[in-house]
Amino acid sequence: MTPKISFRDVTRTFPLDRTAFTALGGVTLDVADEEFVTLVGPSGCGKSTLLNLAAGLDEPTSGEVLVDGAPVTGPGPDRGMIFQQYALFPWLTVRGNVEFGLKLASLPAGERRRRADRAIALVGLTDFADALPKTLSGGMRQRCAIARAYAADPRVLLMDEPFGALDALTRVQLQNQLLETWSRERRTVLFVTHDVDEAVYLARRVVVMAARPGRIHRVVDVDLPYPRTEEVRLSPEFARIRNTVWRAVYHQEPAPATGG
């Protein structure tokens, strides 16, 4: 079966003064259709770069990125990107923000309204559809941003630290809501986080990355049942997997030196 997302020996370098910085060095990874995969690792290991390549917001220096077996040549409606910053239009209501991309796509008003209201309901904001962002909490604003991505009906969700700026309680609530929505919609999710607990709680597989150059250090299977619950989070098996990922992230050997 063709993977939903494939990174094939992907390298990405950026110019730096008179030399170049290698953000990613030879990354190969397949993500299956409907799979939930988290990327975790130290700062500078290329997690967000990998996500931007999948989104078509950047291009690899070498190698290739495929979605459904076709090379990624730019952004597309099949992929929805969600960032840590909400990037909502303050003068538009929740519904107006969610409909914005659909309006740019020239969808009829009735179809825009139907899609927007469905996405808003999925994230639990129906009672706030006519509210402005300034009246919402941080968690509600992020839910609005997620609804905006859902409304375009992408089969792939690319999420870059979407809960990173939220307080611990709100973060847990949105993790649970994301998993509830994923269990119904079964989209493919590639989710970047710095939080090891979050990475394990959400994913079927945790991809641990290492830096200098950015590369895959280890892939950890998360053999925990869905739906994920508080009991799962407090279980000995969760603790075992969390500790495995923690050690992989924070006890990495440095990359070997190269050159003569």
Side-chain angles (χ1 to χ4, degrees):
M1 183 178 295
T2 301
K4 193 67 176 179
I5 309 170
S6 291
F7 301 93
R8 295 287 184 234
D9 197 22
V10 169
T11 294
R12 181 65 173 103
T13 61
F14 296 95
L16 183 65
D17 296 329
R18 297 182 181 179
T19 181
F21 168 68
T22 302
L24 293 171
V27 172
T28 294
L29 175 69
D30 287 339
V31 179
D33 189 28
E34 301 184 359
E35 189 177 17
F36 201 127
V37 172
T38 51
L39 300 173
V40 67
S43 295
C45 68
K47 301 185 298 296
S48 294
T49 301
L50 206 61
L51 216 62
N52 288 336
L53 293 173
L57 301 175
D58 194 9
E59 297 179 355
T61 304
S62 64
E64 60 179 350
V65 183
L66 309 172
V67 172
D68 287 326
V72 172
T73 58
D78 58 329
R79 285 152 288 143
M81 187 81 169
I82 301 170
F83 301 95
Q84 181 173 338
Q85 300 301 322
Y86 323 120
L88 302 178
F89 297 110
W91 60 88
L92 294 179
T93 64
V94 166
R95 183 181 289 111
N97 271 282
V98 174
E99 285 190 6
F100 185 80
L102 305 178
K103 189 173 183 179
L104 290 180
S106 300
L107 265 68
E111 176 66 8
R112 293 201 308 266
R113 179 67 176 257
R114 185 190 68 79
R115 285 202 191 187
D117 284 353
R118 179 177 182 276
I120 290 167
L122 276 175
V123 300
L125 285 180
T126 298
D127 291 343
F128 300 89
D130 297 315
L132 292 172
K134 67 180 181 181
T135 67
L136 305 177
S137 67
M140 294 167 76
R141 292 176 192 176
Q142 189 58 286
R143 280 192 273 164
C144 181
I146 293 171
R148 182 172 55 192
Y150 285 160
D153 198 28
R155 295 315 306 162
V156 174
L157 285 176
L158 305 167
M159 309 184 76
D160 194 358
E161 291 273 7
F163 309 146
L166 304 175
D167 65 87
L169 179 59
T170 302
R171 187 168 188 152
V172 168
Q173 291 171 340
L174 289 190
Q175 289 168 3
N176 289 334
Q177 187 171 62
L178 175 61
L179 286 181
E180 288 172 7
T181 304
W182 173 77
S183 68
R184 293 195 300 269
E185 301 286 301
R186 289 296 178 177
R187 304 173 198 265
T188 305
V189 180
L190 192 56
F191 187 108
V192 166
T193 180
H194 279 93
D195 188 306
V196 170
D197 285 67
E198 180 170 75
V200 173
Y201 186 68
L202 294 174
R204 282 180 170 169
R205 286 190 298 154
V206 179
V207 176
V208 180
M209 298 188 66
R212 296 184 298 276
R215 61 200 187 281
I216 294 176
H217 176 68
R218 183 172 180 180
V219 178
V220 179
D221 292 326
V222 183
D223 297 322
L224 296 171
Y226 288 101
R228 302 276 166 86
T229 61
E230 183 177 356
E231 287 71 24
V232 170
R233 195 190 291 268
L234 297 176
S235 68
E237 182 63 11
F238 181 92
R240 183 190 67 78
I241 298 171
R242 177 198 178 278
N243 291 342
T244 297
V245 174
W246 181 273
R247 285 191 294 268
V249 172
Y250 293 105
H251 295 278
Q252 298 174 6
E253 295 296 326
T258 59

